[in-house]
């Protein structure tokens, strides 16, 4: 089969997405590739299609067992023989899998990076016809990446041990310029085709909310979305347990996941979530990487993550099917303290020397600072994220909490002058908390010990709270009037932008959210039909009714076959059925995501439901 036949007959798609065909062609022409594509953009097809077109075996290096299982499940459902090799198998099972692979029974083999060093796997690979080595989640190879895995550093050694060098392809969703260069250099990609299709996920709504009682916010949100799947991330196990018990007491059927639970409880809870036996899971960031569940409709961060890389990867687990989804971060100042504690107590990588360890810590602090800026900026949140990854974009997305908010401005020039004067008096030796305490006239022991009462700036803003002063300081940092050092101390000093304010040539205003255009802040903010995103399928009430019937059938099939429902068909495929109302094989094969194998297995059952529901009515009565 050629690439188009594989795309249609195996995977059920009529055309390639942005960037896919270019990468596939490069691989088929024997050229190394690096694909940086957002979650949900179809990275896996970029190496799976060539794997099925080329002679020989494709080895996919993948970081997590759950990711491998998901991918192999999906391939087997599509009629492709694939296998995985990792620590979840016995040595006997691994030997059997390699024996089958040697006979040509598997076209694609997923393997953990640590397995590449083993004698048995190297012996197999040297004798086999390896046409491609794919590095999935390639950011794990970079010490500057958020999920560095030392095992990834041995991939190049493995490739060099093979008798004939195969094509090497690498893929990731999140990579700064530094991480991209690390991937290229560490893998020694030869004349690579580098494709960056952009980082934007326009089906995702981004929101930052500052609320007094986060648990109340979460409960209200979950109840408004009780039929939808969602992930709630917490920074610590303690927070996971507290929120889990709070939701459980209020009658929410909730699951939890963190490293403090037994292996069996983690496994069961993850499985229940994937198989739609539980809609909501509260978890630490130990959960989610490699979970290819396509119908997650929201991701809530109960605490602020340590970096935008972490946040965008975790938030990106929503809406993988391309349908609308929401990513909401609940911010508080306490989150900064928690993350700084976690950074300071993080175990150092034993493979790094002291200079490298110090560099990594400084980078962690810089990432945290930029994460805080994301939570406090009044500019477009999507623009902030895309700017971080070096992706040029428009200034306003109209699909984030800042773009949907109304703002008011308060002149705080007098207060700004006092803050600049204080920073100058302290000569950049203290952070924002100390500045705020001095200006507010705090009698804290720390300030007394440093003799703050004798400073000219002491008590200059005594009619304000320290929190109010901090708010202005944060705004001045965001606007470039003040700067902070890029370490855990974040010492504050003025910039050149402060001079016009200090001498009275320029005013300074504090920008505050006055009123949200949509109330309450946590209401579902699905794009209205007139502004639906490209590729998003919108149904009327009758279409929604049919969708629920198809979802029920999907769940029954998935339960019987012991696979996750989205492996049978994605939500997007079911919605496309509601639009096209296929009555025969030819029309069913026009549905996105329905290939020959899936039609043979499930097509007639879904068409029977559609025929019964429509009873001969025209398409226009179901399609909005």
């Amino acid at each position: 089969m050629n690439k188009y036949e594989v795309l249609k007959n195996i995977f059920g798609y009529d055309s390639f997405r942005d960037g896919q065909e270019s990468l596939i062609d490069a691989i088929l022409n024997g050229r190394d590739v690096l694909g940086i594509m957002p979650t949900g953009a179809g990275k896996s097809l970029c190496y799976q299609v060539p794997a099925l077109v080329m002679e020989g075996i494709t080895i996919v290096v993948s970081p997590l067992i759950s990711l491998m299982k998901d991918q192999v499940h999906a391939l087997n459902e599509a009629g492709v023989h694939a296998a995985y090799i990792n620590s979840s198998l016995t040595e006997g099972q691994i030997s059997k899998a390699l024996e089958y692979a040697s006979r040509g029974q598997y076209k694609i083999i997923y393997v953990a990076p640590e397995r590449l060093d083993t004698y048995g796997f190297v012996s197999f690979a040297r004798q086999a016809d390896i046409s491609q080595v794919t590095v999935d989640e390639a950011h794990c190879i970079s010490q500057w990446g958020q999920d560095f895995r030392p095992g990834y550093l041995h991939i190049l050694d493995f490739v060099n041990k093979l008798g004939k060098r195969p094509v090497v392809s690498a893929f990731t969703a999140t990579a700064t310029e530094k991480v991209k260069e690390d991937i290229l250099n560490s893998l020694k990609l030869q004349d690579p085709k580098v494709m960056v299709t952009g980082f934007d996920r326009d089906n995702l709504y981004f929101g930052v909310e500052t609320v007094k009682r986060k648990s109340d916010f979460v409960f209200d949100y979950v109840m408004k979305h009780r039929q939808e799947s969602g992930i709630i991330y917490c920074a610590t196990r303690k927070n996971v347990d507290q929120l889990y018990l709070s939701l459980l007491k209020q009658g929410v059927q909730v699951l939890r996941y963190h490293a403090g639970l037994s292996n069996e409880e983690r496994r069961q809870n993850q499985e229940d979530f994937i198989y739609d036996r539980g809609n909501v899971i509260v978890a630490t960031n130990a959960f989610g990487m490699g979970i290819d569940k396509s119908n997650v409709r929201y991701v809530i961060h109960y605490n602020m993550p340590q970096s935008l890389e972490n946040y965008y990867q975790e938030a990106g687990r929503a809406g993988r099917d391309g349908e609308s989804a929401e990513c909401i971060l609940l911010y508080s100042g306490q989150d900064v303290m928690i993350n700084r504690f976690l950074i300071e107590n993080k175990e150092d990588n034993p493979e790094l020397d002291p200079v490298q360890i110090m560099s990594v810590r400084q980078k962690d602090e810089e990432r945290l600072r930029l994460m805080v800026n994301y939570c406090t900026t009044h500019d477009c949140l999507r623009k902030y994220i895309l700017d971080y990854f070096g992706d040029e974009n428009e200034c306003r997305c109209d699909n984030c909490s800042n773009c949907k908010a109304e703002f008011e401005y308060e002149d705080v020039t007098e207060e700004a002058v006092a803050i600049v004067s204080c920073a100058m008096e302290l000569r950049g030796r203290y952070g924002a908390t100390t500045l705020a305490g001095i200006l507010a006239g705090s009698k804290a022991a720390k300030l007394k010990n440093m003799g703050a009462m004798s400073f000219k700036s002491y008590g200059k803003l005594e009619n304000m709270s320290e929190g109010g002063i901090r708010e202005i300081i944060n705004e001045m940092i965001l606007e470039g009037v003040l700067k902070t050092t890029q370490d855990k101390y974040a010492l504050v000093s003025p910039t050149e932008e402060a001079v016009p304010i200090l001498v009275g040539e320029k005013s300074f205003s504090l920008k505050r959210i006055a009123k949200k255009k949509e109330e309450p802040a946590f209401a579902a903010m699905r794009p209205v039909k007139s502004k639906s995103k490209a590729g998003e399928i919108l149904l009327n009430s009758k279409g929604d009714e049919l969708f629920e019937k198809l979802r029920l059938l999907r769940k029954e099939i998935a339960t019987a076959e012991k696979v996750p429902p989205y492996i049978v068909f994605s939500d997007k495929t079911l919605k496309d059925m509601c639009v096209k109302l296929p009555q025969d094989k030819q029309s069913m094969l026009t549905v996105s995501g329905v290939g020959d194998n899936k039609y043979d297995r499930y097509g007639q059952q879904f068409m029977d439901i559609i025929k019964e529901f429509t009873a001969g009515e025209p398409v226009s009565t179901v399609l909005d």
Side-chain angles (χ1 to χ4, degrees), residues 88-107:
S88 70
L89 304 180
T90 65
E91 288 302 318
Q93 290 172 320
I94 291 173
S95 297
K96 184 65 70 175
L98 293 179
E99 180 185 337
Y100 288 158
S102 298
R103 296 177 188 169
Q105 290 186 234
Y106 299 127
K107 286 289 291 178

Side-chain angles (χ1 to χ4, degrees), residues 17 29 57 105 107 116 181 262 269 414 417 426 431 482 489 569 594 596:
R17 297 184 190 176
N29 289 326
I57 298 169
Q105 290 186 234
K107 286 289 291 178
L116 299 177
E181 291 303 318
S262 67
N269 288 348
E414 186 178 333
V417 169
L426 297 181
L482 299 175
Y489 303 106
F569 285 127
V594 180
D596 288 336

Side-chain angles (χ1 to χ4, degrees), residues 330-374:
L330 307 183
Y331 173 73
S332 72
Q334 184 70 19
D335 294 338
V336 184
M337 298 172 62
I338 292 173
N339 280 308
R340 185 152 285 133
F341 174 83
L342 293 174
I343 289 173
E344 291 175 354
N345 289 274
K346 185 171 71 173
E347 188 174 334
D348 294 328
N349 189 328
E351 297 190 17
L352 303 182
D353 61 39
V355 175
Q356 290 174 318
I357 288 172
M358 181 62 69
S359 296
V360 169
R361 286 191 175 181
Q362 289 176 347
K363 190 66 177 177
D364 286 343
E365 286 289 342
E366 172 67 358
R367 287 196 188 103
L368 179 58
R369 183 182 70 83
L370 294 172
M371 188 72 240
V372 173
N373 288 353
Y374 171 82

Side-chain angles (χ1 to χ4, degrees), residues 167-186:
V167 175
V168 179
S169 57
F171 299 90
T172 183
T174 52
T176 60
E177 191 63 28
K178 174 66 175 174
V179 172
K180 184 180 83 172
E181 291 303 318
D182 266 7
I183 294 170
L184 292 169
N185 293 332
S186 297

Side-chain angles (χ1 to χ4, degrees), residues 114-405:
E114 293 75 19
R115 182 62 51 178
L116 299 177
D117 279 342
T118 61
Y119 174 79
F121 192 81
V122 172
S123 298
F124 151 75
R126 279 177 167 169
Q127 297 174 15
D129 178 16
I130 307 299
S131 57
Q132 178 183 200
V133 172
T134 294
V135 184
D136 201 8
E137 306 291 348
H139 61 273
C140 294
I141 204 170
S142 173
Q143 294 174 3
W144 300 104
Q146 72 274 21
D147 296 304
F148 174 58
R149 284 279 290 271
Y152 267 60
L153 297 176
H154 304 304
I155 295 174
L156 181 61
D157 291 338
F158 169 76
V159 171
N160 290 336
K161 290 175 184 176
L162 302 177
K164 180 183 70 173
R165 187 185 185 278
V167 175
V168 179
S169 57
F171 299 90
T172 183
T174 52
T176 60
E177 191 63 28
K178 174 66 175 174
V179 172
K180 184 180 83 172
E181 291 303 318
D182 266 7
I183 294 170
L184 292 169
N185 293 332
S186 297
L187 292 175
K188 295 291 189 289
L189 297 183
Q190 299 180 5
D191 184 31
K193 168 74 174 179
V194 179
M195 173 68 71
V196 181
T197 61
F199 295 89
D200 192 13
R201 299 275 308 283
D202 65 359
N203 62 313
L204 300 184
Y205 164 86
F206 291 98
V208 174
E209 303 289 345
T210 303
V211 294
K212 291 184 178 180
R213 292 184 58 83
K214 292 184 178 183
S215 59
D216 289 347
F217 179 101
V218 171
F219 173 72
D220 289 341
Y221 188 98
V222 168
M223 294 308 293
K224 289 176 183 293
H225 300 79
R226 59 173 64 88
Q227 300 301 321
E228 299 178 337
S229 289
I231 304 172
I232 304 166
Y233 281 110
C234 298
T236 64
R237 301 177 191 178
K238 181 180 178 181
N239 281 351
V240 169
D241 289 337
Q242 288 177 343
L243 183 58
Y244 165 77
L245 291 174
S246 173
L247 293 174
L248 203 62
K249 288 177 182 177
Q250 295 179 86
V252 178
Q253 291 185 314
V254 61
L255 306 165
R256 62 176 168 173
Y257 188 104
H258 62 66
L261 304 177
S262 67
N263 289 338
E264 175 57 25
E265 186 174 357
R266 287 202 307 274
R267 184 200 65 78
Q268 186 62 55
N269 288 348
Q270 176 171 300
E271 189 174 283
D272 285 347
F273 182 68
I274 290 173
Y275 284 74
D276 285 351
R277 293 192 288 263
N279 279 346
V280 185
I281 190 162
V282 183
T284 60
N285 62 7
F287 176 81
M289 186 176 176
I291 301 300
D292 199 24
K293 184 176 169 68
S294 63
N295 63 334
V296 174
R297 297 269 65 87
Y298 63 86
V299 171
I300 297 175
H301 278 80
Y302 194 79
N303 304 107
M304 180 189 71
Q306 290 181 17
S307 71
L308 269 171
E309 288 99 330
N310 286 352
Y311 177 66
Y312 202 47
Q313 186 179 70
E314 292 159 13
R317 286 161 193 153
R320 294 174 67 99
D321 54 7
E323 296 295 295
S324 292
E326 298 176 0
C327 309
I328 298 173
L329 194 161
L330 307 183
Y331 173 73
S332 72
Q334 184 70 19
D335 294 338
V336 184
M337 298 172 62
I338 292 173
N339 280 308
R340 185 152 285 133
F341 174 83
L342 293 174
I343 289 173
E344 291 175 354
N345 289 274
K346 185 171 71 173
E347 188 174 334
D348 294 328
N349 189 328
E351 297 190 17
L352 303 182
D353 61 39
V355 175
Q356 290 174 318
I357 288 172
M358 181 62 69
S359 296
V360 169
R361 286 191 175 181
Q362 289 176 347
K363 190 66 177 177
D364 286 343
E365 286 289 342
E366 172 67 358
R367 287 196 188 103
L368 179 58
R369 183 182 70 83
L370 294 172
M371 188 72 240
V372 173
N373 288 353
Y374 171 82
C375 295
T376 54
T377 184
H378 295 311
D379 294 331
C380 173
L381 296 176
R382 188 181 310 277
K383 175 176 168 55
Y384 189 98
I385 292 171
L386 298 181
D387 283 351
Y388 181 84
F389 289 108
D391 191 356
E392 293 183 8
N393 57 91
E394 296 179 0
C395 295
R396 185 180 179 87
C397 73
D398 288 323
N399 197 27
C400 76
S401 57
N402 282 353
C403 286
K404 287 180 174 289

